[in-house]
Amino acid sequence: MHKTDFPVEKYRKDFPILERKIGKYPLVYFDNAATSQTPKQVIEAISNYYATYNSNIHRGVHTLSNEATDAYEQSRKKIQAHFNAAHPHEIIFTSGTTHAINLVASGFKNFIKEGDELIVSALEHHSNIVPWQMLCEQTGAVLKVIPMLQSGILDMKAFDQMLSDKTKLIFCNHVSNALGVINPISELIEKGHSVGAAVLIDGAQAAPHIQADVQELDVDFYVVSAHKMCGPTGVGVLYAKEEWLNKLPPYQGGGEMIAEVSFEKTTYAGLPHKFEAGTPNICGGIAFGAALDYMNAIGIKNIAEYENELLTYATTRLKEISELRIIGDVAHKTAVISFVVEGAHPYDIGSILDKMGIAVRTGHHCAQPIMDFYQIPGTIRASFSFYNTFEEIDRLIEALKRALSMLL
Ligand SMILES: *Cc1c(COP(=O)(O)O)cnc(C)c1O
């Protein structure tokens, strides 16, 4: 029935957690948009680090420190290559997407003045809204919102009308975490640049499914979190064009980010260290590299193709349930399905699914403006990864039907 020849059973063996049971049921993990699971290759990179060369980086003369520094910098190069950045120093390690966006928003205080305009999309995660609202409060800049259409896509005609020479910055996610909708980022970047605005793309939800080429996109800033792409939590990166990193002030002061310190004057270190104050998540940075190695060995294209088949199958099967409505059922999306059921609260459905071993997310998915737009309290979100199977989707459908027979 399924045409795929993707060796999912082989890859599933790499994920120890997939052997877990929830009560008497084998775990079905459909919360990949919140965080992905970790293959043993990445778990081994983490335990190998702590077991054999745990050490602080960039300062030691001793062997362990040199090994840790090499592995950390090697990882930076892998990330550079993966996103096709022009230089390794354009990759800044952060604690994740949220930290990366705050770093840029904080730096822009120097370039934004009262009356300037920033444009955000209606489809954003709170972490790509709140730091900019704080920037606007501090500077008197105005935040404009690209509205969304009922279908779940952005109203690009409205975007065209709000662009002007007052526009200084545009920020948008590549893929919406709440709906899975893929946004027209090339168009946003090109049009943004045509009025002299800088563009930041939040790639947190896209990176596990779409391989972005930052030079081809010509994007100014691209941010991701490792934990959504088979890596550990607490690490991510900011990609920024070198010219922006030279212009932006440091975000935090401390060790590692300085050239020289005296009480009269401190000079800052060069890139990327200017933005990496303090001891970073060394092990996490190294494990991020291992996660990219793992995903690239499978191939992001192959992953996306298989996930697309899962998405098509799940969408068709969910539509068997007449009370169920998919939110953001658009052609151009990743393997995320958000839905509501007339007469049943998402939380109640999610709790019953959990009792049957199925992990989905319920709620506003850190995107309350989207929920307000649809006038719903939240959705149930099933998000798939390449280690999920068609059989697991069948289990979701059966469990949903049972849950609804109890609730409706
Ligand atoms: C997960 C996510 C974030 C936040 O990432 P953190 O790792 O929590 O910082 C931001 N934007 C999108 C689109 C996301 O999916």
Side-chain angles (χ1 to χ4, degrees):
M1 175 170 60
H2 308 302
K3 66 180 187 311
T4 184
D5 52 5
F6 188 80
V8 60
E9 289 305 327
K10 175 179 152 214
Y11 298 129
R12 282 179 71 82
K13 291 200 176 70
D14 293 332
F15 292 81
I17 208 167
L18 297 179
E19 282 161 32
R20 251 209 80 162
K21 291 215 155 95
I22 305 296
K24 62 181 171 132
Y25 297 97
L27 167 71
V28 173
Y29 187 75
F30 283 162
D31 195 17
N32 295 286
T35 202
S36 56
Q37 293 303 343
T38 317
K40 62 177 192 269
Q41 289 81 347
V42 174
I43 298 171
E44 275 160 20
I46 294 168
S47 68
N48 186 39
Y49 169 80
Y50 281 112
T52 66
Y53 64 105
N54 176 31
S55 180
N56 213 329
I57 53 171
H58 298 142
R59 323 170 201 220
V61 290
H62 60 81
T63 303
L64 297 188
S65 177
N66 287 332
E67 287 178 6
T69 305
D70 284 351
Y72 193 66
E73 291 308 319
Q74 202 51 47
S75 191
R76 194 191 305 275
K77 287 191 184 136
K78 283 179 193 170
I79 298 165
Q80 173 208 356
H82 184 82
F83 293 104
N84 195 31
H87 310 285
H89 60 248
E90 290 178 324
I91 301 296
I92 308 296
F93 279 113
T94 65
S95 68
T97 298
T98 304
H99 173 189
I101 295 171
N102 277 280
L103 188 161
V104 178
S106 161
F108 261 88
K109 267 190 298 227
N110 293 20
F111 308 119
I112 298 291
K113 56 179 193 319
E114 198 175 339
D116 284 348
E117 293 179 358
L118 315 185
I119 297 181
V120 64
S121 100
L123 282 172
E124 296 313 296
H125 188 284
H126 295 162
S127 69
N128 205 18
I129 300 174
V130 183
W132 307 109
Q133 286 175 323
M134 290 160 65
L135 176 64
C136 287
E137 270 171 31
Q138 288 160 352
T139 58
V142 178
L143 190 62
K144 300 209 146 186
V145 184
I146 311 170
M148 57 189 287
L149 303 172
Q150 201 62 34
S151 61
I153 62 170
L154 291 177
D155 182 350
M156 294 300 280
K157 284 205 186 91
F159 170 69
D160 288 345
Q161 281 161 6
M162 61 181 67
L163 262 186
S164 77
D165 56 8
K166 287 194 202 151
T167 314
K168 291 295 175 288
L169 250 173
I170 297 166
F171 26 94
C172 182
N173 54 34
H174 193 165
V175 170
S176 154
N177 64 299
L179 307 181
V181 173
I182 302 173
N183 287 313
I185 62 164
S186 295
E187 189 181 340
L188 289 170
I189 295 164
E190 210 181 296
K191 289 184 171 166
H193 287 171
S194 75
V195 296
V199 182
L200 177 142
I201 299 297
D202 168 357
Q205 202 56 237
H209 320 283
I210 302 170
Q211 192 158 358
D213 179 326
V214 293
Q215 291 190 78
E216 193 186 302
L217 284 169
D218 195 27
V219 67
D220 300 282
F221 305 96
Y222 196 88
V223 298
V224 299
S225 292
H227 72 92
K228 297 205 173 152
M229 44 195 315
C230 296
T233 54
V235 66
V237 296
L238 160 67
Y239 158 78
K241 284 182 184 168
E242 182 181 41
E243 54 175 299
W244 276 115
L245 291 173
N246 284 329
K247 272 195 255 181
L248 289 176
Y251 180 47
Q252 293 178 315
E256 200 67 52
M257 54 74 72
I258 48 83
E260 272 180 79
V261 174
S262 73
F263 284 108
E264 288 71 44
K265 185 173 171 53
T266 289
T267 51
Y268 303 129
L271 297 175
H273 307 294
K274 173 180 159 189
F275 295 102
E276 295 182 351
T279 301
N281 182 350
I282 301 166
C283 178
I286 294 168
F288 191 1
L292 284 182
D293 286 344
Y294 180 78
M295 294 195 77
N296 284 327
I298 303 173
I300 303 280
K301 258 214 172 91
N302 297 329
I303 286 174
E305 244 175 58
Y306 175 68
E307 289 172 344
N308 232 354
E309 290 180 32
L310 292 175
L311 173 68
T312 306
Y313 181 64
T315 304
T316 309
R317 291 233 49 205
L318 284 170
K319 286 180 179 168
E320 288 170 10
I321 302 171
S322 56
E323 301 90 347
L324 184 149
R325 179 162 62 102
I326 296 175
I327 307 286
D329 186 18
V330 299
H332 208 41
K333 65 186 285 199
T334 59
V336 173
I337 308 184
S338 248
F339 58 90
V340 291
V341 178
E342 192 73 46
H345 197 280
Y347 180 83
D348 295 335
I349 297 175
S351 304
I352 297 175
L353 293 180
D354 177 55
K355 298 244 170 4
M356 296 188 245
I358 300 171
V360 293
R361 180 134 305 223
T362 63
H364 56 60
H365 318 296
C366 299
Q368 279 178 355
I370 301 180
M371 305 302 134
D372 292 346
F373 175 78
Y374 287 110
Q375 298 181 317
I376 50 178
T379 70
I380 300 146
R381 182 186 69 186
S383 51
F384 310 122
S385 182
F386 61 89
Y387 42 74
N388 290 129
T389 65
F390 295 97
E391 294 71 29
E392 288 179 319
I393 291 169
D394 291 337
R395 270 189 60 198
L396 170 70
I397 303 297
E398 289 321 303
L400 257 176
K401 287 181 179 168
R402 262 178 70 187
L404 297 183
S405 73
M406 291 155 79
L407 292 170
L408 295 183

